[in-house]
Amino acid sequence: MTTLSAIDRRIIAATQGGLPLTPAPFAEVAGWLGLTEAQVIDRMEAMQAAGIIRRVALAPNHYALGLVANGMSVWDIEDDRAVDLGAQIGRLEFVSHCYLRPRADGWPYNLFAMIHGHSRAEVEDLRQQIAALLGPACRGQDILYSTRILKKTGLRLTQGGQ
């Protein structure tokens, strides 16, 4: 387990709600904390290298963009092809995230890909594109549609926590 330095803790606390939408977000965070932009960037890179921060990424609200039909497509892919095919699926512009998971008892699926579209019909068309790409390496598939928006947040530090 890694203990955060006081500076790292302050940087995380300042950015846990998101980076400011400015041309120089790290400089603005640095100004809030009395640090230099280079210090903030260096510390965030070090925390990422240590595995404390997984990534710094944009998280658009797909509902606000009109992408109101969202389905987690699940695929039973031959294990020896899953990594290569998963990487191809993950690069599709309509897939927001794609990952491999171990099969579970009674659950044959090992590849998961979140598909976003303007309607369920569009999502079904996109799912068929994935099926065509997977071809005979796919032994089964299904889709689980979102029925409500869940609040998504990242790590939130609390007082006294590491």
Side-chain angles (χ1 to χ4, degrees), residues 65-137:
L65 297 171
L67 301 172
V68 296
N70 308 286
M72 177 59 76
S73 62
V74 293
W75 308 87
D76 176 9
I77 305 301
E78 294 173 4
D79 290 329
D80 63 337
R81 306 275 323 277
V83 170
D84 177 55
L85 289 170
Q88 291 179 49
I89 301 306
R91 286 192 293 270
L92 297 171
E93 66 181 27
F94 55 84
V95 172
S96 64
H97 50 283
C98 180
Y99 48 90
L100 294 172
R101 290 286 184 259
R103 300 171 200 282
D105 191 31
W107 184 259
Y109 308 108
N110 59 341
L111 179 66
F112 295 65
M114 190 68 180
I115 304 171
H116 301 281
H118 293 91
S119 67
R120 281 197 179 190
E122 180 182 2
V123 170
E124 286 297 327
D125 289 343
L126 298 171
R127 182 165 68 127
Q128 291 311 310
Q129 289 181 38
I130 293 174
L133 194 149
L134 295 173

Side-chain angles (χ1 to χ4, degrees), residues 1 10 20 26 32 34 39 43 48-49 60-61 64 81 97 101 109 120-121 124 130 154-156:
M1 185 161 107
R10 290 175 55 222
F26 298 106
W32 298 341
Q39 286 174 307
R43 291 308 316 143
Q48 191 170 8
N61 179 341
R81 306 275 323 277
H97 50 283
R101 290 286 184 259
Y109 308 108
R120 281 197 179 190
E124 286 297 327
I130 293 174
L155 169 72
R156 296 293 186 256

